[in-house]
């Protein structure tokens, strides 16, 4: 690691290796340049996502609170995705503030650690929920007689383990002083330049997310679609009656698969950025500008997720029922005024 001296506010000099992770990120951020359009673009996009994401996610939770029929295992598991989205939405005003007011908006290293904690939780829950949803559909389809008896307990154990993993990982990164402000993103996250241990933590973090959120769900959904294709053949020829629960399983699998595709699509720019690492030294402005846009693009999931979940047939029926109730209530009010 580069070892040079920096002057602090009281006039003393410290070597780069003696600085905290927060100070190292700020020191290196001063030497990084990004396109002039990046800040206003991020502010506009995140403000829009904050408004629509908050409204849609809160509306989804309202539907669950209002209608008991929606409190089923698959829908409650899907709510973990929305909880992760709400964690991300809480972060948006802070990123906007750093773009408008600079690093001072985060209130120093303690505030950065708290925000980094939230950011890690968001990624772990959002990616990990993809594995939990895929595993639940897999066991439901492949073990229809044995799994339902243990489904609720299994879902509870997996969900609890997922949240504990996120808490432990976030706490480990905080204990090792690995949270720094990313100058291109305005986000406090694991900053690998802080120490060799932070490099290991960062690699474990992205490796576990890739396995849990992308590799394992890809394998599971491939098996589910192969199973569905085999079931369709005898059904289409009329030699086998379609089980009554097949349509329900297909609808749930399709919804969760769309959630998975949405996450992968929004995360693609981040993985593409790994191939742009050579530009980090030759064209730093292009590299850091792309890095900022790719992470901002990932946040589109906070709007796409609730829309995908609410497209399920049982949810749309409840939305129509709620809309009909509101229209009847409006007619009653107008009749009273007359």
């Amino acid at each position: 690691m580069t070892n040079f001296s920096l002057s602090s506010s009281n006039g003393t000099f410290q070597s780069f290796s003696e600085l905290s992770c927060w100070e190292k990120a700020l020191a290196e951020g001063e030497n990084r340049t990004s396109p002039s359009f990046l800040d206003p673009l991020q502010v506009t996009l995140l403000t829009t996502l904050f408004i629509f994401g908050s409204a849609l996610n809160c509306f989804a939770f309202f539907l669950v609170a209002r209608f008991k029929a929606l409190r089923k295992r698959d829908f409650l598991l899907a709510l973990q995705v929305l909880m992760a989205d709400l964690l991300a939405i809480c972060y948006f005003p802070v990123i906007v503030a750093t773009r408008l007011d600079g690093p001072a908006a985060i209130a120093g290293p303690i505030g950065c650690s708290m925000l980094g904690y939230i950011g890690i939780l968001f990624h772990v829950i959002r990616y990990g929920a993809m594995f939990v949803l895929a595993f639940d559909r897999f066991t439901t389809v492949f073990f229809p007689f044995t799994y339902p008896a243990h489904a609720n307990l299994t879902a509870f154990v997996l969900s609890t383990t997922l949240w504990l993993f996120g808490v432990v990982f976030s706490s480990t990164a905080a204990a090792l002083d690995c949270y720094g402000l990313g100058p291109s993103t305005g986000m406090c996250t694991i900053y690998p330049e802080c120490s060799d241990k932070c490099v290991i933590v960062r690699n474990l973090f992205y490796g576990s997310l890739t396995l849990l959120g992308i590799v394992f769900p890809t394998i599971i959904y491939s098996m589910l679609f192969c199973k569905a294709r085999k079931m369709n053949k005898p059904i289409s020829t009329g030699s086998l009656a379609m089980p009554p629960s097949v349509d329900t399983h297909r609808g749930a699998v399709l919804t969760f698969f769309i959630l998975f595709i949405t996450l992968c699509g929004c995360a693609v720019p981040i993985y593409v950025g790994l191939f742009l690492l050579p530009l980090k030294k030759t064209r730093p402005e292009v590299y850091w500008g792309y890095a900022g846009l790719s992470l901002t693009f990932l946040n589109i999931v906070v709007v796409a997720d609730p829309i995908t979940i609410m497209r399920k047939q049982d949810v749309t029926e409840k939305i129509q029922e709620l809309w009909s109730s509101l229209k009847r209530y409006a007619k009653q009010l107008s009749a009273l005024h007359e």
Side-chain angles (χ1 to χ4, degrees):
M1 183 178 292
T2 306
N3 190 5
F4 57 90
S5 297
L6 294 174
S7 177
S8 62
S9 57
N10 59 7
T12 60
F13 287 86
Q14 290 179 293
S15 66
F16 188 75
S17 59
E18 295 174 349
L19 298 176
S20 67
C21 192
W22 166 262
E23 293 170 327
K24 290 177 181 178
L26 291 182
E28 293 197 359
E30 293 176 354
N31 299 323
R32 295 177 180 177
T33 57
S34 58
S36 57
F37 66 85
L38 182 61
D39 287 358
L41 182 60
Q42 279 187 310
V43 169
T44 303
L45 179 59
L46 290 176
T47 302
T48 304
L49 292 176
F50 176 79
I51 295 172
F52 288 98
S54 300
L56 290 171
N57 281 277
C58 290
F59 180 65
F61 278 100
F62 167 76
L63 290 176
V64 176
R66 176 67 177 80
F67 299 104
K68 291 184 179 180
L70 295 179
R71 300 171 194 173
K72 297 182 293 185
R73 186 183 73 256
D74 56 349
F75 196 78
L76 292 177
L77 286 175
L79 287 184
Q80 290 189 100
V81 175
L82 302 186
M83 292 178 69
D85 291 343
L86 288 176
L87 285 174
I89 289 171
C90 293
Y91 211 140
F92 291 171
V94 180
I95 302 176
V96 172
T98 58
R99 286 297 171 228
L100 299 177
D101 194 34
I106 298 182
I110 297 179
C112 189
S113 295
M114 294 176 62
L115 292 170
Y117 200 98
I118 294 174
I120 296 300
L121 268 180
F122 158 66
H123 285 90
V124 170
I125 302 304
R126 182 61 183 81
Y127 279 78
M130 292 297 94
F131 170 74
V132 175
L133 292 172
F135 180 81
D136 180 74
R137 287 300 94 193
F138 173 82
T139 48
T140 300
V141 172
F142 280 85
F143 306 99
F145 301 106
T146 58
Y147 179 67
H150 311 283
N152 292 335
L153 178 60
T154 303
F156 175 78
V157 171
L158 287 175
S159 300
T160 304
T161 303
L162 177 62
W163 280 91
L164 286 176
F165 176 73
V167 170
V168 170
F169 212 106
S170 301
S171 302
T172 302
L176 295 176
D177 187 26
C178 291
Y179 290 124
L181 177 64
S184 61
T185 61
M187 298 176 61
C188 286
T189 185
I190 298 175
Y191 201 70
E193 284 82 357
C194 290
S195 66
D196 293 336
K197 292 181 179 178
C198 295
V199 174
I200 297 175
V201 172
R202 192 273 309 270
N203 293 339
L204 288 175
F205 174 66
Y206 284 109
S208 60
L209 291 189
T210 302
L211 285 176
L212 280 177
I214 297 178
V215 176
F216 290 158
T218 299
I219 296 173
I220 291 174
Y221 282 121
S222 298
M223 297 174 68
L224 285 173
F225 284 121
C226 289
K227 176 77 170 180
R229 187 175 181 182
K230 290 180 180 179
M231 292 177 65
N232 278 335
K233 288 182 178 179
I235 291 172
S236 61
T237 59
S239 60
L240 180 65
M242 181 180 292
S245 60
V246 167
D247 287 337
T248 303
H249 291 328
R250 285 178 179 172
V253 170
L254 181 61
T255 298
F256 299 153
F257 181 71
I258 294 175
L259 282 175
F260 170 64
I261 292 298
T262 301
L263 176 64
C264 292
C266 293
V268 162
I270 297 178
Y271 290 96
V272 172
L274 297 176
F275 297 97
L276 301 180
L277 284 175
L279 296 177
K280 190 174 181 180
K281 294 182 179 180
T282 59
R283 299 287 300 278
E285 182 176 354
V286 175
Y287 175 79
W288 292 115
Y290 179 85
L293 287 177
S294 61
L295 286 174
T296 303
F297 187 73
L298 175 64
N299 293 319
I300 295 177
V301 297
V302 303
V303 172
D305 288 342
I307 293 176
T308 302
I309 291 174
M310 287 189 289
R311 64 169 291 280
K312 290 185 62 179
Q313 182 178 356
D314 49 354
V315 182
T316 56
E317 290 175 355
K318 296 304 177 183
I319 294 176
Q320 292 173 358
E321 180 181 337
L322 180 64
W323 178 247
S324 299
S325 301
L326 290 175
K327 288 197 297 185
R328 286 196 303 267
Y329 182 70
K331 288 181 180 179
Q332 291 173 359
L333 285 180
S334 61
L336 289 175
H337 286 295
E338 293 177 358

